[in-house]
Structure formats: C-alpha cells, structure tokens
Amino acid sequence: MNSYTEKFKKAEELYNNDSFEEALPLFEELWKESADGDAALMFANCLKCLDRDDEAVRVYNYIIEFDPTWEAPLYNLAGIYYNREEYEKAMELYQKAAEADAECGDAYFKLGECCRMLDTDNTEKAMQYYQKAVMAKEGTIYADDAHFFLGIAYLRLDKTLPAFEHLKKSNELSPDKADTLHFLGLCCEMQKKLTKAIENVDTLEI
C-alpha cells in the first residue's frame, strides 16, 4: 500500500467508519507528502470530528488561503463558528460557500439559521435563504427543516395557505414529527376560522 491513491482510500475508509483517530495521521502524512488539498481537507475534517476545533480552524484557513473559492473548507469552517454561536462569522463563510456552489442548498439553509439565531427581525431574510435552499438544483439535506421553518414564518405572517404547503412538504419528507403535525393542525384551524369569517361577511345584509 505505497501509492497515494491506495493510502488515501484506506484513510477515507477509516474516516467513513468514524475511526477518526486512525485516519488522522494517514491524512496528515498524505498532505505532507503531496501538498494535496483533498488530503488537507480530510485532515482538517478529522480534527473537527475529534473536537480539536482550533487546529481544524488553522488548517481550513490554510486551505482557503490557497483556494478561496473551494466550497467544502468554507462550509466546514463556518460550521465550527456556528457551533460556537459566532453567527456573524459563520454567515460570512456560509455566504462565500453559497457563492462557490450555488447549486447546493446546504449553505443557504445555514444562512437562514444564522439569521434566525441572530435576530427575530431577520425573519424575512431567513425566509429568502430557506427558499433558496429548497429551490437549489442539488437540493439540501435540510429540506424538511427548511420547509418547516418557512411554514412557521408564514404562520407568523398570518399566511395560512403557503404555511400549510410548506408544513405539508416538511411532513412528507420527515413524516409524523410532532411539531410539524401540531402546526399543520393549527393551519387548518386558522383556515376554518378565516373561511367562517368570510361566510359571515357574505351573509351580511347591506
């Protein structure tokens, strides 16, 4: 197992099996031998998975310095700041990640989350990011949550029909979540009241 490809494959198998301690020195060795960006990225990912965040930050920044438009290190570095609740730093990096790969919605979803965490007045901006997440060509692994939060946001705006559609989609993607079912029921109740109010207005004598 002397070739770079074989070594990388072995390290990657360990990483995919959550054997980060074992994968770490292999990726570090590959990186030092070849100065390959993929090995550097995986080395940083191992550090991150082992909660060695300060070291991971240094490696991610090193990679970004050489390739500032590579989505993966930007996104992963943003995740560290997000977990630290440093949302403004995270937003800056998620924005760059979204610009680097606009077809993937994950960074847009995370931008929506940052807006939500920073300030409740950012609801409209968060909605825009969630919309971009679910509309992205490659979609997002957070599609169910994006639709859920869009549904909640529309409910707050008293827009029950789009709220219902997004909550329904969220339930289709992740069936029978208690919160989603609760708000779907709330949408139905609100729509019934609205329909009843319209019927009452229609029966008024003018």
Side-chain angles (χ1 to χ4, degrees):
M1 191 177 295
N2 295 319
S3 75
Y4 175 90
T5 303
E6 289 174 330
K7 287 181 180 178
F8 194 97
K9 184 179 179 181
K10 174 60 178 176
E12 196 170 38
E13 286 176 357
L14 289 167
Y15 180 88
N16 291 335
N17 289 323
D18 296 339
S19 299
F20 307 120
E21 288 281 8
E22 295 175 65
L24 181 70
L26 297 179
F27 282 124
E28 183 177 21
E29 182 182 345
L30 288 165
W31 177 29
K32 288 179 178 178
E33 286 179 0
S34 64
D36 179 66
D38 289 331
L41 176 66
M42 294 304 294
F43 176 57
N45 290 347
C46 284
L47 290 169
K48 183 173 181 284
C49 291
L50 292 167
D51 295 324
R52 292 165 62 176
D53 286 353
D54 289 340
E55 296 169 83
V57 166
R58 286 194 290 272
V59 181
Y60 285 134
N61 278 321
Y62 176 86
I63 299 167
I64 292 165
E65 183 179 347
F66 283 93
D67 189 352
T69 62
W70 190 2
E71 182 268 346
L74 289 165
Y75 182 88
N76 293 347
L77 178 56
I80 291 176
Y81 288 117
Y82 181 88
N83 292 335
R84 289 176 174 176
E85 300 182 3
E86 296 180 46
Y87 300 119
E88 290 181 352
K89 280 187 179 180
M91 277 196 79
E92 182 181 343
L93 289 159
Y94 281 132
Q95 186 63 56
K96 290 179 180 179
E99 291 168 1
D101 185 5
E103 293 186 352
C104 181
D106 294 350
Y108 287 120
F109 174 80
K110 288 296 189 177
L111 281 164
E113 290 291 89
C114 288
C115 283
R116 212 164 51 85
M117 297 299 178
L118 278 169
D119 189 347
T120 53
D121 290 337
N122 277 332
T123 299
E124 185 177 344
K125 191 68 175 176
M127 290 175 72
Q128 292 174 8
Y129 286 130
Y130 291 139
Q131 288 281 15
K132 286 184 177 182
V134 297
M135 295 293 289
K137 185 176 179 180
E138 295 180 9
T140 171
I141 59 173
Y142 305 107
D144 59 330
D145 287 330
H147 281 293
F148 176 81
F149 289 122
L150 278 167
I152 299 304
Y154 277 117
L155 267 179
R156 288 174 179 165
L157 297 171
D158 292 327
K159 296 182 178 181
T160 54
L161 289 179
F164 180 83
E165 289 303 316
H166 282 291
L167 290 166
K168 180 182 175 184
K169 185 63 177 178
S170 179
N171 190 56
E172 289 171 0
L173 292 167
S174 296
D176 300 329
K177 282 187 176 179
D179 286 346
T180 309
L181 293 174
H182 168 74
F183 286 110
L184 275 169
L186 185 59
C187 279
C188 292
E189 288 300 315
M190 290 173 69
Q191 192 60 36
K192 285 178 184 177
K193 289 179 181 179
L194 178 60
T195 302
K196 185 68 173 177
I198 292 171
E199 288 174 353
N200 289 339
V201 169
D202 289 342
T203 59
L204 289 175
E205 293 184 6
I206 299 175

